[in-house]
Amino acid sequence: TQSQPTIFGMPLKYVSLVTLAVQNAALSIVMHQSRVSTPPSLAYSPASAVLLNEILKGSISFVIALARAAPQSDYPRHRSSILNTLQTFPYPWTPTFWSLCREILSPDCWKLSIPALLYVVQNSLQFVAISNLPVASFQVTYQMKILTTAAFSVALLRKKLTSTKWLSLFFLAIGVGIVQIQTSGVVPSTKPVAVGSAHEYHHVHEMNPLKGFGAVTAACFTSGLAGVYFEMVLKGSKQDLWVRNVQLSLFSLIPALLPVLYSSSPPNSQGFFLDLFHNFGGWAWGTVGIQVFGGLVTAIVIKYSDNILKGFATSLSIVLSFLASVALFNFRITPSFVIGASTVLAATWMYNQPEGSEPRIVLTNLSG
Ligand code: C5P
């Protein structure tokens, strides 16, 4: 069993779930704005954003892992380990550094290569999706990852789901379907749409909802598989969460670096390093910052809750994104959007009902 840590006196499990819901809503809005607020000639490279995300997340995780591994000897246990690290600097910090490096490069670190690759693909697909769909539609459709996560949890983690939970997953799929129909009507694939807030209608950004939905669907599969795989590796060994996170980021660097290396350099190239930040404005940095934060919170959520609960918590972000879309992007409320989004929320509520006395449909791994 897991000890339940607290933050400001509240259980970390619930704080991280709520934080993730807000982070998800913020990410889809800022990411969408970062893609559509500039003409294509001034757009930043999503490949650079994915790479920077991994570098920053990996570095932060390394610092946290180092602080946690710092010797505690002379100080009371409640003292912050970061403070301990600084006060004992530079010795015995150096051996801690090297032993942490050895731990990161432990023989089983290869296990993280699978979720690492899947997450890089997912993070790239997210850019395609968000550039081709209205924010609220992206958010609702992305909830399909709850379905894929549940399927992978049953298959790989041997989780058992009651019939009520399966029924709620079915309603979730129906709700997402309704929203999709609505979106195809709102944004015709052949016509460009004006984007930005009312005072910001500088240019027209072309959206292709079919491409957007294709990207979201693929991202739902990678999200489900990567999340469950990460949970399996994390809970199947004693290694620290932050060490696992560093391993994840290290393996992500390879697939994240390849598209950057192979993309054509901008017309007035200033060398690899500066080209990486080409056209990186406030929205782009905002996107990367929120992604990094989200990655760290996701890891905490997977450790202290689980992937299925994570999916339902983030589905609450639909309401936030929806309200923001109406205010910022002139998103049109249609009856089918309201019906679809309400079905998704009702399914969320249903999934989280305490288990009753209904007969359980127990589905386990076929090989088990
Ligand atoms: O949509 P989903 O919840 O699957 O997204 C997970 C996000 O969290 C991905 O962007 C992934 O890169 C990130 N993540 C992370 N570290 C983990 C687990 C997920 O950065 N340990």
Side-chain angles (χ1 to χ4, degrees), residues 54 57 119 122-123 142 145 223 230 245 248 295 298-299 302 310:
E54 294 306 335
K57 218 166 45 184
Y119 275 139
Q122 178 185 340
N123 290 342
Y142 208 18
K145 66 186 172 186
S223 167
F230 184 75
N245 255 6
L248 188 69
T298 300
I302 294 178
K310 168 174 84 64

Side-chain angles (χ1 to χ4, degrees), residues 289-360:
I290 298 173
Q291 268 186 321
V292 169
F293 179 68
L296 299 173
V297 178
T298 300
I300 294 174
V301 167
I302 294 178
K303 177 159 171 79
Y304 295 108
S305 312
D306 65 47
N307 270 293
I308 301 182
L309 213 54
K310 168 174 84 64
F312 277 98
T314 54
S315 77
L316 295 179
S317 67
I318 295 173
V319 180
L320 299 174
S321 310
F322 171 65
L323 295 176
S325 297
V326 173
L328 298 172
F329 305 118
N330 292 336
F331 185 77
R332 268 180 284 157
I333 309 171
T334 63
S336 52
F337 182 87
V338 175
I339 294 170
S342 310
T343 310
V344 171
L345 288 175
T348 305
W349 174 81
M350 191 171 157
Y351 188 92
N352 285 298
Q353 288 309 295
E355 278 168 31
S357 53
E358 73 271 13
R360 285 176 115 204

Side-chain angles (χ1 to χ4, degrees), residues 112 115 226-234 241 244-245 248 299 302:
L112 275 297
V228 169
Y229 203 97
F230 184 75
E231 188 177 340
M232 203 167 70
V233 173
L234 194 66
L241 165 69
R244 289 299 192 198
N245 255 6
L248 188 69
I302 294 178

Side-chain angles (χ1 to χ4, degrees), residues 23 68 131 232 242 252 260 349 357 360:
Q23 181 274 342
R68 285 167 61 84
S131 312
M232 203 167 70
W242 303 104
S252 301
V260 176
W349 174 81
S357 53
R360 285 176 115 204

